[in-house]
Amino acid sequence: MQLSEEIFQLTQQHFGRAPDQCDDRQLYQALLILARQRAGERPAPTGERKLYYFSAEFLLGKLLSNQLLALGLYQPVKDYLAGMGRDLGVLESMEPEPSLGNGGLGRLAACFLDSIAALGLPGDGVGLNYHFGLFRQVFSRCKQTEEPDPWLQPDGWLIPTRRAFPVSLGNTQVTAVMYDIAIPGAGSGCANRLHLFDLADPAHAPWVGIDFDKGDIAHNLTSFLYPDDSDRAGRLLRVYQQYFLVSAGAQLILAELEERGFAPDTLADHVVIQINDTHPSMVIPELVRLLMDRGLTFDRAADQVTAACAYTNHTILAEALETWPMSYIQTAAPQLVPILRRLDQRAKAAHPDPRVAILDGEDRVHMAHLDIHYGFSVNGVAQLHTDILKHTELKPFCDIYPQKFSNKTNGVTFRRWLETCDQPLVSLIDDCIGPDWRRDAQKLEGLLQFQHDPAVLSRLLEVKQQNKDRLCRLLWSEQGLDLDPSSVFDVQIKRFHEYKRQQMNALAVIHQYLEIKAGRLPQRPVTVLFGGKAAPAYVMAKHIIHLILCLQKLIEQDPQVRPWLRVAMVENYNVTWAEALIPACDLSEQISLASKEASGTGNMKFMANGAVTLGTMDGANVEIAGLVGEENIYTFGASSDQVIALYRDRSYDPRACYHRPQVERLVDFLVSPELLAIGDPASLSTLWHDMKSKDWFMALLDVEDYIRTKAEALRDYECRTAWAEKMLVNIARSGYFSSDRTIRQYNEDIWHLN
Ligand code: 475
């Protein structure tokens, strides 16, 4: 059937009218149903082994455009709509963004599902269906507040299935039901699934408010992603969630294994489980338990599970390395306790070194240690991060199991992060090198032949301008921000965390502000854009957001500064905002303290869209620098070796850095009369004290070099042709960071799917 006929039938059937008589919502709904049906008809990829990607988060973003793209319908649908004077972007703006993720780890999982399907590999995602997701960020009096984000729509992307599994949570018996989102693969003709488990019983329907009773498991198990874990009840709730996810997921794996005609003791021949950070680590003892129920001995079960499980580490931050008191597991999943004790004893018998123990002297379970002993693969997410894991953080493990460790540098799907989010740039690329880069992103290197082509370079600058204009329109209509599209767009978008050092960027803003106040004007106005959420219980991150919102307000009120410098913080930053911000960015801020950012993936997206990086030699920035060469990136700051030595020797002295005259006046501005008149004195002075005396992530160590390097970048920006060359080299060299490449490597080295 013709596409137009199919859409006609759908709108007739559902709304009793022809497409051109439908309103935007109806037309959107018809296209959703079309995509859902087409994806549902696609066969699953086949292979001897099947991958299950277990993750607490899948940060999908809006689905319509990317589903149509994978189905080969994107351009036909756009053309069809254009023929009626309608626009796919307008229709898609109706779609609420699924709120199933938080940051890089969740977005990586979404990029991976896209690439796994595109490569035709058999692999499904396994996660939870959080009804209110993370939270919706609302600014009120220059502070972040949190509201539930009810993103689920009737008749949306979720496909109900007949799968249901019993799960015992302490002394409560619940049923996990499974919903699916189809994941069609671009160019593969296949579709995988993202399985999202939820509570079955409507009497147990999730709770609606945000101040819920955390003890009421039945009502809030799948309410929120990362419920506040600053107290015991919140932490217990996380353990309940984790166990619910892995128990249902493990039962799914064994059910499918049986349906494929394989015996439980051949698990590892037919199944590989990728454990995305430690949140799903309890899948290990749960599978051991279920295999023992099916007749395997403990040792045989443990061996099968070890040969099936692979672990990805995403962070070396101590506070993110999960350890659960055994007493929590005794409460939430008592059936796992004897298994965990046996797994611990078996590991201790072979490796008595207390540094590698699963259970420590306080009876806490170290989830990463469990993954490393009882998995066959451990990977970091960028070369530097993997090296730090091997030589520092996980060295005792690497000495025992050197063969388990490998690097898999992250990647991003160019289908979402170039093809659908930056159409002006895509047209330019197509005109230069044709369409082949879609199948093989390394082909973007073909752009290098245009590095000195004035026509291409000036078109590149026009494309960037178009994207900046588009962003300005959007920020105006959605958030009432009116920005200057002819200014330089300097963008830092990511979760708020002290190690990512948004506070250092804020100090640079203060520097620019004081310069303008002193009559030293920049060559061109600058707009510093921020976006990101702070975890509700992360007090210091919230102080940093407050500082930025106060600076924004201060500058808005100042007619002397406002024409030259603006600060704009996007409210409720999410994937959808990223898709508008990244194509519009000139300068990409990747300024984490070296050694702390495992990889970063935003850095890759910016690069592919022609932004130039201002960054530390951290995470994947190191690899970006290697690919583009030093003249096409701005790096600064202490090296990871220096930082690691400062921590090891406890020799970082924030007070000494603070007392440098240029630094002191920037830091003291936090408690200046101007700022105190706008903000909350308690919040600003807490941040001020912390910066002077603790500065755990060493913002004051790097701030001067940072300000100097940013000034250099802004100077270079004025030579427009030379800047356009830098943009072009960044785009041309970004192909390495396609998640198709990353997934090929996972498959070749870890999964061996087909
Ligand atoms: C890294 N999230 C990025 C990205 O590999 C990296 C942890 C605990 C609880 C909740 N969320 C988390 C993360 O650790 C996370 O998102 N890590 C990020 O993973 C993908 O690119 O450098 O910070």
Side-chain angles (χ1 to χ4, degrees), residues 176-213:
V177 293
M178 190 170 96
Y179 294 91
D180 281 357
I181 296 178
I183 310 288
S188 71
C190 312
N192 285 315
R193 294 284 173 129
L194 168 56
H195 304 298
L196 297 172
F197 287 103
D198 203 345
L199 285 170
D201 185 355
H204 288 166
W207 208 85
V208 199
I210 210 157
D211 296 314
F212 53 89
D213 167 14

Side-chain angles (χ1 to χ4, degrees), residues 650-661:
R650 298 195 170 81
S651 55
Y652 175 57
D653 179 2
R655 293 205 162 267
C657 293
Y658 167 70
H659 286 302
R660 295 181 204 150

